[in-house]
Amino acid sequence: MDSEATEEIKRHFDVVAESLRMEVRELRAEIQDVRRHSDVIAESLRSEIRIVAEGVTGLDEKSTQEFRNVREEIGEVKSMLRLSYGDLDRRVRTLEDAKPS
């Protein structure tokens, strides 16, 4: 190969290398933009997740209290039913005892 052809090949490789360097710089810039955008989205999601978690915690506390209230009411109803059935049973027995045999 003569020196002129060698120089032409070198210039061609230099042009190609510079073109590749420029594309790599552009890709790096785009990657940085995507990274920044992803960070913003991630922070927004973290914030929304915190809000949802606080809501779930509040709902859990509220439902726990409601369940306690329902249990207390069921206990009260059971007590009233026992009293009512006890009273009814006593009246039925009194009537049965009063029947002539």
Side-chain angles (χ1 to χ4, degrees):
M1 244 188 194
D2 64 2
S3 66
E4 197 174 298
T6 303
E7 285 300 315
E8 182 63 28
I9 291 172
K10 279 175 118 180
R11 279 192 296 275
H12 178 70
F13 278 124
D14 288 343
V15 168
V16 169
E18 184 56 35
S19 175
L20 286 173
R21 281 187 208 103
M22 198 160 84
E23 286 186 37
V24 167
R25 281 192 294 272
E26 289 173 5
L27 283 173
R28 284 181 178 157
E30 286 182 37
I31 288 169
Q32 288 299 328
D33 287 345
V34 168
R35 183 176 286 152
R36 280 189 292 275
H37 183 70
S38 297
D39 289 344
V40 169
I41 290 172
E43 184 54 39
S44 175
L45 286 173
R46 279 191 284 274
S47 176
E48 290 177 20
I49 288 169
R50 273 187 226 109
I51 291 168
V52 169
E54 290 169 4
V56 168
T57 299
L59 183 60
D60 182 52
E61 290 170 1
K62 184 177 179 181
S63 63
T64 299
Q65 186 57 45
E66 285 298 317
F67 283 127
R68 284 186 192 127
N69 293 343
V70 167
R71 282 189 200 121
E72 287 175 13
E73 289 177 18
I74 289 172
E76 291 170 8
V77 169
K78 281 182 176 179
S79 294
M80 286 189 277
L81 286 173
R82 278 189 206 109
L83 286 173
S84 295
Y85 282 119
D87 185 47
L88 181 60
D89 186 54
R90 192 170 62 267
R91 284 189 276 161
V92 167
R93 289 179 191 271
T94 301
L95 288 175
E96 288 176 350
D97 289 345
K99 278 187 201 176
S101 307

XYZ file of all heavy atoms in Angstrom:
819
model
N 0.837 -1.170 0.000
C 0.000 0.000 0.000
C 0.882 1.233 0.000
O 1.880 1.305 0.698
C -0.821 0.019 1.290
C -2.257 -0.091 1.072
S -3.013 0.184 2.666
C -4.559 -0.377 2.298
N 0.439 2.197 -0.768
C 1.254 3.412 -0.783
C 0.820 4.350 0.334
O -0.218 4.180 0.956
C 1.192 4.088 -2.158
C -0.192 4.580 -2.509
O -1.104 4.440 -1.670
O -0.362 5.141 -3.596
N 1.633 5.322 0.612
C 1.396 6.213 1.739
C 0.142 7.055 1.527
O -0.548 7.423 2.477
C 2.609 7.102 1.994
O 2.806 7.989 0.910
N -0.165 7.345 0.271
C -1.378 8.132 -0.011
C -2.631 7.335 0.354
O -3.565 7.860 0.972
C -1.407 8.507 -1.501
C -2.364 9.621 -1.799
C -2.248 10.047 -3.250
O -1.174 10.506 -3.672
O -3.275 9.906 -3.951
N -2.682 6.099 0.031
C -3.812 5.236 0.366
C -3.898 5.058 1.881
O -4.995 5.073 2.462
C -3.679 3.881 -0.327
N -2.738 4.914 2.507
C -2.707 4.771 3.961
C -3.256 6.021 4.633
O -4.044 5.951 5.583
C -1.266 4.489 4.439
O -0.774 3.331 3.789
C -1.217 4.302 5.941
N -2.863 7.183 4.135
C -3.361 8.447 4.690
C -4.870 8.575 4.466
O -5.594 9.038 5.350
C -2.633 9.644 4.054
C -1.233 9.843 4.559
C -1.203 10.089 6.055
O -2.016 10.884 6.578
O -0.361 9.453 6.727
N -5.349 8.159 3.319
C -6.796 8.220 3.029
C -7.567 7.310 3.983
O -8.619 7.684 4.519
C -7.056 7.803 1.579
C -8.496 7.871 1.157
C -9.076 9.288 1.203
O -8.340 10.269 1.040
O -10.297 9.396 1.435
N -7.065 6.136 4.237
C -7.704 5.204 5.174
C -7.701 5.789 6.573
O -8.695 5.738 7.297
C -7.007 3.823 5.136
C -7.296 3.143 3.787
C -7.467 2.937 6.298
C -6.496 1.871 3.559
N -6.576 6.415 6.980
C -6.484 7.025 8.307
C -7.513 8.141 8.450
O -8.182 8.268 9.471
C -5.080 7.584 8.544
C -4.069 6.554 8.953
C -2.710 7.192 9.032
C -2.168 7.121 10.418
N -0.845 7.732 10.536
N -7.620 9.002 7.397
C -8.596 10.091 7.448
C -10.013 9.528 7.550
O -10.835 10.031 8.311
C -8.463 10.983 6.213
C -7.340 11.988 6.304
C -7.427 13.030 5.192
N -7.272 12.466 3.860
C -6.096 12.235 3.253
N -4.971 12.533 3.879
N -6.050 11.726 2.047
N -10.274 8.486 6.788
C -11.609 7.864 6.823
C -11.886 7.319 8.228
O -12.969 7.534 8.791
C -11.700 6.749 5.779
C -13.024 6.052 5.789
N -14.181 6.661 5.355
C -13.376 4.801 6.193
C -15.190 5.822 5.506
N -14.727 4.673 6.005
N -10.930 6.622 8.827
C -11.109 6.097 10.183
C -11.257 7.229 11.196
O -12.024 7.121 12.145
C -9.946 5.181 10.578
C -10.109 3.780 10.055
C -9.120 3.208 9.265
C -11.231 3.030 10.350
C -9.264 1.908 8.778
C -11.381 1.732 9.878
C -10.402 1.176 9.083
N -10.488 8.307 11.001
C -10.615 9.462 11.900
C -12.015 10.057 11.832
O -12.600 10.419 12.859
C -9.572 10.535 11.566
C -8.165 10.126 11.961
O -8.034 9.172 12.769
O -7.207 10.761 11.473
N -12.558 10.166 10.605
C -13.917 10.699 10.440
C -14.924 9.762 11.104
O -15.818 10.203 11.835
C -14.249 10.894 8.937
C -15.742 11.169 8.744
C -13.416 12.017 8.339
N -14.760 8.471 10.859
C -15.667 7.490 11.462
C -15.535 7.506 12.978
O -16.540 7.500 13.712
C -15.396 6.073 10.895
C -16.147 5.017 11.701
C -15.777 6.007 9.427
N -14.322 7.587 13.488
C -14.092 7.605 14.933
C -14.712 8.847 15.551
O -15.355 8.774 16.614
C -12.600 7.538 15.233
N -14.538 10.004 14.916
C -15.131 11.241 15.437
C -16.649 11.163 15.407
O -17.321 11.586 16.346
C -14.644 12.461 14.643
C -15.143 13.781 15.188
C -14.790 13.996 16.654
O -13.716 13.562 17.109
O -15.618 14.611 17.364
N -17.191 10.584 14.360
C -18.644 10.407 14.261
C -19.149 9.504 15.389
O -20.168 9.803 16.033
C -19.003 9.812 12.903
O -20.375 9.525 12.839
N -18.426 8.430 15.662
C -18.797 7.530 16.747
C -18.685 8.225 18.104
O -19.548 8.068 18.968
C -17.934 6.271 16.727
C -18.256 5.267 15.620
C -17.213 4.153 15.620
C -19.647 4.696 15.796
N -17.630 9.016 18.292
C -17.474 9.754 19.549
C -18.655 10.700 19.757
O -19.179 10.833 20.866
C -16.167 10.543 19.549
C -14.959 9.714 19.839
C -13.708 10.599 20.007
N -12.551 9.828 19.634
C -11.878 9.926 18.481
N -12.209 10.815 17.583
N -10.849 9.145 18.258
N -19.046 11.383 18.691
C -20.164 12.317 18.783
C -21.455 11.571 19.125
O -22.232 12.007 19.978
C -20.327 13.074 17.463
C -21.142 14.328 17.595
S -20.850 15.475 16.246
C -21.960 14.816 15.027
N -21.675 10.436 18.494
C -22.872 9.644 18.793
C -22.853 9.141 20.232
O -23.883 9.140 20.912
C -22.992 8.475 17.814
C -23.435 8.903 16.440
C -23.699 7.727 15.524
O -24.215 6.700 16.011
O -23.379 7.849 14.330
N -21.680 8.738 20.722
C -21.562 8.280 22.106
C -21.875 9.428 23.055
O -22.587 9.251 24.055
C -20.167 7.673 22.371
C -19.917 7.479 23.861
C -20.011 6.357 21.624
N -21.362 10.644 22.762
C -21.666 11.807 23.612
C -23.172 12.089 23.618
O -23.756 12.362 24.668
C -20.895 13.045 23.121
C -19.450 13.066 23.550
C -18.820 14.435 23.300
N -18.723 14.786 21.877
C -17.699 14.470 21.082
N -16.653 13.812 21.564
N -17.693 14.828 19.817
N -23.788 12.003 22.456
C -25.236 12.225 22.375
C -26.000 11.164 23.157
O -26.960 11.476 23.870
C -25.698 12.237 20.915
C -25.250 13.458 20.143
C -25.584 13.362 18.664
O -26.257 12.382 18.243
O -25.170 14.262 17.923
N -25.567 9.916 23.043
C -26.210 8.832 23.794
C -26.046 9.037 25.293
O -26.993 8.835 26.065
C -25.630 7.471 23.390
C -26.126 6.910 22.061
C -25.335 5.653 21.708
C -27.601 6.606 22.118
N -24.866 9.463 25.713
C -24.648 9.721 27.142
C -25.562 10.839 27.628
O -26.121 10.761 28.728
C -23.193 10.069 27.410
C -22.290 8.862 27.374
C -20.861 9.235 27.677
N -20.039 8.031 27.671
C -18.745 8.028 27.464
N -18.099 9.160 27.258
N -18.078 6.897 27.474
N -25.706 11.884 26.823
C -26.590 12.996 27.196
C -28.036 12.510 27.296
O -28.761 12.860 28.238
C -26.473 14.131 26.187
N -28.455 11.687 26.344
C -29.818 11.140 26.385
C -30.007 10.233 27.599
O -31.052 10.269 28.256
C -30.120 10.364 25.098
C -30.357 11.258 23.907
C -30.701 10.469 22.652
O -31.409 9.445 22.763
O -30.240 10.879 21.573
N -28.994 9.442 27.894
C -29.068 8.555 29.069
C -29.210 9.391 30.336
O -30.010 9.061 31.220
C -27.829 7.630 29.134
C -27.911 6.580 28.038
C -27.699 6.980 30.509
C -26.631 5.782 27.829
N -28.461 10.486 30.435
C -28.570 11.365 31.602
C -29.968 11.978 31.698
O -30.544 12.069 32.786
C -27.515 12.485 31.544
C -26.109 12.009 31.808
C -25.967 11.404 33.196
O -26.629 11.801 34.143
N -25.098 10.414 33.317
N -30.529 12.387 30.551
C -31.887 12.937 30.545
C -32.895 11.893 31.020
O -33.773 12.184 31.840
C -32.280 13.422 29.142
C -31.569 14.700 28.748
O -31.001 15.364 29.637
O -31.585 15.030 27.539
N -32.756 10.680 30.514
C -33.666 9.602 30.906
C -33.496 9.302 32.397
O -34.474 9.092 33.118
C -33.424 8.336 30.050
C -34.140 7.140 30.624
C -33.855 8.589 28.610
N -32.261 9.308 32.875
C -31.995 9.047 34.288
C -32.655 10.118 35.161
O -33.299 9.810 36.166
C -30.503 8.999 34.552
C -30.175 8.668 36.006
C -28.694 8.526 36.232
N -28.272 7.256 35.652
C -27.061 7.010 35.186
N -26.137 7.941 35.221
N -26.762 5.835 34.692
N -32.492 11.395 34.779
C -33.116 12.473 35.556
C -34.631 12.338 35.546
O -35.291 12.479 36.571
C -32.704 13.844 34.999
C -31.328 14.292 35.455
C -31.064 15.743 35.062
N -30.949 15.933 33.624
C -29.836 15.764 32.928
N -28.722 15.415 33.535
N -29.816 15.965 31.627
N -35.181 12.038 34.372
C -36.630 11.863 34.261
C -37.098 10.690 35.120
O -38.110 10.781 35.826
C -37.019 11.652 32.799
C -38.477 11.537 32.566
N -39.344 12.596 32.690
C -39.250 10.468 32.228
C -40.571 12.196 32.440
N -40.539 10.911 32.152
N -36.344 9.605 35.094
C -36.688 8.427 35.901
C -36.634 8.752 37.391
O -37.484 8.301 38.166
C -35.738 7.273 35.600
O -35.872 6.868 34.257
N -35.636 9.542 37.795
C -35.532 9.932 39.202
C -36.740 10.756 39.632
O -37.264 10.571 40.734
C -34.245 10.722 39.453
C -32.998 9.858 39.369
O -33.128 8.615 39.413
O -31.894 10.433 39.250
N -37.178 11.667 38.763
C -38.356 12.487 39.074
C -39.588 11.606 39.208
O -40.364 11.737 40.163
C -38.573 13.569 37.984
C -39.929 14.239 38.140
C -37.459 14.605 38.029
N -39.756 10.676 38.287
C -40.907 9.766 38.334
C -40.832 8.895 39.587
O -41.835 8.699 40.288
C -40.966 8.892 37.065
C -41.352 9.749 35.868
C -41.945 7.748 37.236
C -41.259 9.038 34.536
N -39.655 8.393 39.898
C -39.499 7.528 41.080
C -39.850 8.296 42.350
O -40.533 7.756 43.239
C -38.071 6.986 41.154
N -39.406 9.531 42.459
C -39.714 10.325 43.657
C -41.216 10.589 43.752
O -41.800 10.514 44.830
C -38.947 11.647 43.649
C -39.146 12.465 44.897
C -38.830 11.715 46.181
O -37.853 10.943 46.206
O -39.572 11.883 47.167
N -41.824 10.857 42.617
C -43.278 11.071 42.605
C -44.005 9.809 43.055
O -44.949 9.866 43.847
C -43.730 11.472 41.198
O -45.122 11.566 41.128
N -43.554 8.668 42.567
C -44.167 7.395 42.965
C -43.965 7.123 44.452
O -44.888 6.673 45.133
C -43.589 6.242 42.142
C -44.068 6.171 40.698
C -43.292 5.088 39.941
C -45.550 5.909 40.616
N -42.766 7.420 44.960
C -42.523 7.227 46.397
C -43.498 8.079 47.210
O -44.049 7.615 48.207
C -41.083 7.578 46.752
C -40.084 6.480 46.452
C -38.722 6.774 47.067
N -37.977 7.779 46.337
C -37.195 7.545 45.290
N -37.062 6.312 44.837
N -36.545 8.513 44.700
N -43.701 9.297 46.761
C -44.616 10.193 47.469
C -46.039 9.643 47.437
O -46.738 9.628 48.457
C -44.566 11.577 46.825
O -45.497 12.431 47.413
N -46.469 9.181 46.279
C -47.820 8.620 46.157
C -47.962 7.341 46.975
O -49.002 7.108 47.597
C -48.150 8.376 44.690
C -48.335 9.667 43.911
C -48.596 9.456 42.440
O -48.999 8.348 42.047
O -48.395 10.420 41.684
N -46.919 6.523 47.007
C -46.958 5.287 47.791
C -47.078 5.610 49.279
O -47.822 4.958 50.008
C -45.718 4.413 47.499
C -45.836 3.819 46.093
C -45.550 3.317 48.540
C -44.572 3.166 45.578
N -46.346 6.652 49.728
C -46.467 7.075 51.128
C -47.898 7.477 51.447
O -48.435 7.126 52.504
C -45.532 8.255 51.416
C -44.148 7.830 51.806
C -43.313 9.035 52.250
N -42.029 8.911 51.588
C -41.580 9.683 50.600
N -42.277 10.703 50.182
N -40.418 9.457 50.049
N -48.518 8.231 50.549
C -49.897 8.670 50.767
C -50.836 7.467 50.857
O -51.695 7.394 51.735
C -50.339 9.641 49.652
C -49.574 10.963 49.779
C -51.839 9.881 49.682
C -49.720 11.886 48.587
N -50.668 6.517 49.951
C -51.501 5.311 49.961
C -51.264 4.520 51.248
O -52.214 4.051 51.889
C -51.227 4.431 48.720
C -51.884 3.072 48.849
C -51.708 5.133 47.457
N -50.005 4.398 51.659
C -49.690 3.654 52.884
C -50.337 4.315 54.100
O -50.877 3.629 54.973
C -48.175 3.567 53.072
N -50.302 5.651 54.144
C -50.951 6.350 55.257
C -52.460 6.106 55.238
O -53.076 5.913 56.291
C -50.653 7.849 55.183
C -49.217 8.191 55.503
C -48.874 9.641 55.169
O -49.769 10.414 54.759
O -47.684 10.006 55.323
N -53.045 6.105 54.038
C -54.475 5.826 53.922
C -54.824 4.425 54.377
O -55.818 4.211 55.076
N -54.006 3.462 53.992
C -54.244 2.073 54.398
C -54.129 1.942 55.913
O -54.945 1.275 56.556
C -53.256 1.120 53.679
C -53.272 -0.264 54.295
C -53.585 1.048 52.196
N -53.138 2.615 56.490
C -52.967 2.574 57.945
C -54.190 3.161 58.634
O -54.714 2.588 59.592
C -51.696 3.340 58.364
O -50.574 2.717 57.746
C -51.522 3.341 59.862
N -54.654 4.303 58.131
C -55.846 4.925 58.711
C -57.069 4.044 58.575
O -57.862 3.918 59.512
N -57.216 3.424 57.417
C -58.351 2.530 57.192
C -58.267 1.318 58.103
O -59.283 0.885 58.668
C -58.384 2.087 55.730
C -59.537 1.210 55.301
C -60.864 1.936 55.527
C -59.387 0.822 53.842
N -57.061 0.791 58.299
C -56.876 -0.353 59.184
C -57.276 0.007 60.613
O -57.981 -0.753 61.276
C -55.418 -0.821 59.139
C -55.176 -2.036 60.014
O -55.926 -3.028 59.859
O -54.250 -1.989 60.838
N -56.829 1.179 61.066
C -57.179 1.606 62.423
C -58.687 1.796 62.560
O -59.283 1.386 63.558
C -56.449 2.907 62.761
C -54.959 2.731 62.931
C -54.207 4.044 63.016
O -54.848 5.122 62.960
O -52.973 4.002 63.135
N -59.291 2.404 61.545
C -60.738 2.647 61.590
C -61.506 1.324 61.588
O -62.441 1.133 62.366
C -61.157 3.497 60.397
C -62.608 3.866 60.410
C -62.970 4.763 59.240
C -64.439 5.096 59.263
N -64.833 5.941 58.154
N -61.107 0.397 60.712
C -61.827 -0.882 60.647
C -61.620 -1.689 61.929
O -62.542 -2.358 62.395
C -61.410 -1.688 59.417
O -60.044 -2.023 59.469
N -60.427 -1.606 62.513
C -60.175 -2.303 63.774
C -61.116 -1.775 64.853
O -61.712 -2.560 65.603
C -58.702 -2.125 64.201
O -57.867 -2.691 63.188
C -58.423 -2.792 65.527
N -61.257 -0.462 64.930
C -62.165 0.129 65.917
C -63.615 -0.277 65.639
O -64.369 -0.588 66.560
C -62.039 1.658 65.926
C -62.851 2.323 67.011
C -62.492 1.824 68.411
O -61.328 1.696 68.764
N -63.500 1.523 69.199
N -63.999 -0.299 64.370
C -65.362 -0.710 64.014
C -65.619 -2.152 64.432
O -66.691 -2.480 64.949
C -65.615 -0.535 62.516
C -65.813 0.901 62.091
C -67.034 1.547 62.732
O -68.094 0.893 62.803
O -66.911 2.699 63.167
N -64.639 -3.028 64.201
C -64.796 -4.424 64.614
C -64.946 -4.527 66.130
O -65.751 -5.317 66.629
C -63.619 -5.286 64.140
C -63.685 -5.642 62.688
C -62.604 -5.378 61.851
C -64.809 -6.237 62.142
C -62.660 -5.700 60.502
C -64.873 -6.572 60.794
C -63.793 -6.294 59.984
N -64.182 -3.739 66.855
C -64.330 -3.740 68.324
C -65.743 -3.309 68.718
O -66.366 -3.913 69.594
C -63.316 -2.787 68.958
C -61.930 -3.329 68.998
C -60.991 -2.396 69.766
N -59.627 -2.795 69.548
C -58.658 -1.992 69.135
N -58.899 -0.722 68.910
N -57.437 -2.455 68.955
N -66.232 -2.254 68.070
C -67.587 -1.768 68.366
C -68.636 -2.841 68.076
O -69.568 -3.040 68.852
C -67.899 -0.505 67.570
C -67.051 0.679 67.996
O -66.456 0.683 69.061
N -66.977 1.691 67.140
N -68.468 -3.533 66.934
C -69.422 -4.583 66.564
C -69.375 -5.717 67.587
O -70.415 -6.230 68.009
C -69.137 -5.108 65.134
C -69.896 -6.386 64.845
C -69.480 -4.038 64.095
N -68.174 -6.106 68.008
C -68.057 -7.167 69.024
C -68.755 -6.763 70.322
O -69.425 -7.580 70.953
C -66.586 -7.472 69.302
C -65.947 -8.325 68.248
C -64.557 -8.787 68.689
N -63.798 -9.176 67.532
C -62.654 -8.639 67.156
N -62.098 -7.692 67.861
N -62.038 -9.047 66.076
N -68.574 -5.514 70.731
C -69.225 -5.047 71.949
C -70.748 -5.102 71.793
O -71.453 -5.542 72.706
C -68.786 -3.613 72.267
C -67.369 -3.512 72.778
C -66.924 -2.061 72.961
O -67.790 -1.150 72.933
O -65.708 -1.844 73.139
N -71.236 -4.654 70.631
C -72.678 -4.686 70.400
C -73.206 -6.117 70.386
O -74.283 -6.395 70.932
C -73.026 -3.979 69.085
C -72.844 -2.475 69.148
C -73.109 -1.788 67.820
O -73.757 -2.394 66.938
O -72.657 -0.645 67.669
N -72.461 -7.030 69.780
C -72.872 -8.435 69.763
C -72.930 -8.969 71.193
O -73.870 -9.685 71.565
C -71.917 -9.287 68.884
C -72.132 -8.960 67.416
C -72.106 -10.774 69.143
C -71.128 -9.590 66.473
N -71.937 -8.612 72.000
C -71.948 -9.034 73.401
C -73.166 -8.501 74.135
O -73.800 -9.223 74.921
N -73.521 -7.239 73.879
C -74.699 -6.648 74.517
C -75.980 -7.360 74.066
O -76.868 -7.646 74.884
C -74.780 -5.155 74.199
C -73.690 -4.328 74.856
C -73.656 -2.895 74.340
O -74.569 -2.487 73.582
O -72.697 -2.176 74.696
N -76.058 -7.654 72.755
C -77.239 -8.346 72.230
C -77.346 -9.738 72.849
O -78.434 -10.174 73.231
C -77.196 -8.413 70.682
C -78.258 -9.352 70.142
C -77.353 -7.022 70.084
N -76.212 -10.439 72.962
C -76.228 -11.765 73.580
C -76.749 -11.686 75.015
O -77.551 -12.521 75.439
C -74.825 -12.384 73.576
C -74.396 -12.975 72.275
C -72.997 -13.585 72.454
C -72.517 -14.285 71.228
N -71.166 -14.831 71.404
N -76.279 -10.691 75.743
C -76.734 -10.531 77.133
C -78.235 -10.279 77.186
O -78.950 -10.867 78.008
C -76.002 -9.367 77.800
O -74.639 -9.665 77.924
N -78.720 -9.411 76.300
C -80.160 -9.124 76.280
C -80.969 -10.357 75.892
O -82.033 -10.627 76.459
C -80.457 -7.966 75.326
C -80.043 -6.611 75.880
S -80.615 -5.248 74.869
C -79.358 -5.206 73.615
N -80.448 -11.142 74.948
C -81.143 -12.360 74.533
C -81.190 -13.368 75.678
O -82.220 -14.010 75.904
C -80.468 -12.983 73.309
C -80.708 -12.264 71.985
C -79.847 -12.878 70.885
C -82.177 -12.319 71.593
N -80.083 -13.520 76.395
C -80.069 -14.441 77.530
C -81.118 -14.029 78.560
O -81.852 -14.878 79.085
C -78.686 -14.460 78.180
C -77.700 -15.346 77.481
C -76.410 -15.508 78.296
N -75.324 -15.821 77.392
C -74.328 -15.009 77.069
N -74.253 -13.824 77.617
N -73.407 -15.388 76.230
N -81.165 -12.719 78.849
C -82.158 -12.236 79.814
C -83.571 -12.489 79.315
O -84.432 -12.974 80.056
C -81.959 -10.737 80.075
C -80.766 -10.363 80.936
C -80.598 -8.851 80.964
C -80.933 -10.900 82.349
N -83.803 -12.169 78.035
C -85.148 -12.344 77.470
C -85.552 -13.811 77.470
O -86.675 -14.157 77.851
C -85.216 -11.795 76.049
O -85.024 -10.407 76.044
N -84.657 -14.693 77.010
C -84.991 -16.115 76.980
C -85.126 -16.675 78.387
O -85.971 -17.535 78.642
C -83.944 -16.914 76.177
C -84.136 -16.779 74.695
C -83.139 -16.222 73.893
C -85.307 -17.208 74.081
C -83.314 -16.097 72.520
C -85.485 -17.090 72.716
C -84.490 -16.526 71.936
O -84.674 -16.408 70.593
N -84.315 -16.181 79.285
C -84.436 -16.621 80.674
C -85.791 -16.230 81.249
O -86.461 -17.037 81.910
N -86.191 -14.992 80.975
C -87.492 -14.518 81.444
C -88.617 -15.315 80.785
O -89.565 -15.734 81.446
C -87.637 -13.021 81.141
C -88.911 -12.445 81.703
O -89.216 -12.718 82.879
O -89.590 -11.716 80.947
N -88.513 -15.538 79.481
C -89.533 -16.309 78.752
C -89.605 -17.739 79.289
O -90.702 -18.279 79.524
C -89.212 -16.306 77.255
C -90.170 -17.045 76.336
C -91.580 -16.439 76.427
C -89.664 -17.023 74.909
N -88.445 -18.350 79.499
C -88.405 -19.715 80.032
C -89.068 -19.783 81.417
O -89.839 -20.705 81.701
C -86.948 -20.182 80.121
C -86.845 -21.638 80.537
O -87.484 -22.491 79.879
O -86.120 -21.917 81.519
N -88.812 -18.785 82.243
C -89.402 -18.751 83.571
C -90.927 -18.643 83.471
O -91.670 -19.342 84.175
C -88.817 -17.573 84.370
C -89.140 -17.628 85.850
C -88.371 -16.598 86.676
N -88.631 -15.190 86.361
C -87.960 -14.394 85.518
N -86.943 -14.853 84.873
N -88.268 -13.149 85.312
N -91.413 -17.799 82.554
C -92.867 -17.651 82.406
C -93.513 -18.930 81.874
O -94.584 -19.336 82.325
C -93.192 -16.479 81.486
C -92.999 -15.134 82.197
C -93.516 -13.996 81.376
N -92.470 -13.609 80.432
C -92.675 -12.902 79.333
N -93.885 -12.513 79.017
N -91.681 -12.584 78.548
N -92.836 -19.593 80.932
C -93.377 -20.843 80.377
C -93.426 -21.901 81.470
O -94.422 -22.623 81.619
C -92.539 -21.315 79.167
C -92.881 -22.748 78.782
C -92.732 -20.377 77.990
N -92.395 -22.013 82.264
C -92.370 -22.992 83.351
C -93.457 -22.682 84.385
O -94.089 -23.595 84.919
C -90.996 -23.037 84.013
C -89.947 -23.665 83.120
C -88.593 -23.656 83.845
N -87.535 -24.001 82.927
C -87.121 -25.247 82.683
N -87.702 -26.250 83.299
N -86.156 -25.480 81.831
N -93.655 -21.409 84.644
C -94.691 -21.020 85.602
C -96.059 -21.438 85.074
O -96.898 -21.960 85.818
C -94.668 -19.489 85.837
O -93.382 -19.129 86.328
C -95.723 -19.057 86.830
N -96.271 -21.217 83.753
C -97.548 -21.635 83.149
C -97.708 -23.144 83.173
O -98.788 -23.665 83.430
C -97.645 -21.123 81.709
C -97.878 -19.626 81.529
C -97.828 -19.251 80.051
C -99.252 -19.246 82.112
N -96.609 -23.866 82.865
C -96.673 -25.322 82.882
C -96.959 -25.845 84.300
O -97.694 -26.801 84.477
C -95.368 -25.927 82.342
C -95.205 -25.774 80.867
C -93.860 -26.296 80.379
O -92.969 -26.602 81.206
O -93.684 -26.377 79.150
N -96.347 -25.198 85.275
C -96.553 -25.622 86.665
C -98.001 -25.311 87.116
O -98.554 -26.013 87.961
C -95.571 -24.907 87.601
C -94.139 -25.399 87.411
O -93.975 -26.476 86.781
O -93.204 -24.710 87.858
N -98.583 -24.272 86.544
C -99.938 -23.857 86.959
C -101.024 -24.685 86.282
O -102.166 -24.670 86.709
C -100.161 -22.382 86.643
N -100.680 -25.444 85.245
C -101.680 -26.261 84.555
C -102.165 -27.386 85.475
O -101.366 -28.018 86.153
C -101.060 -26.921 83.300
C -101.005 -26.066 82.115
C -100.539 -26.965 80.971
C -99.959 -26.199 79.837
N -99.445 -27.081 78.812
N -103.468 -27.614 85.436
C -103.954 -28.768 86.203
C -103.506 -30.055 85.520
O -103.552 -30.177 84.314
C -105.472 -28.631 86.187
C -105.792 -27.492 85.290
C -104.534 -26.864 84.850
N -103.111 -30.986 86.265
C -102.661 -32.250 85.717
C -103.768 -33.202 85.449
O -104.771 -33.352 85.938
C -101.670 -32.943 86.622
O -100.632 -32.139 86.960
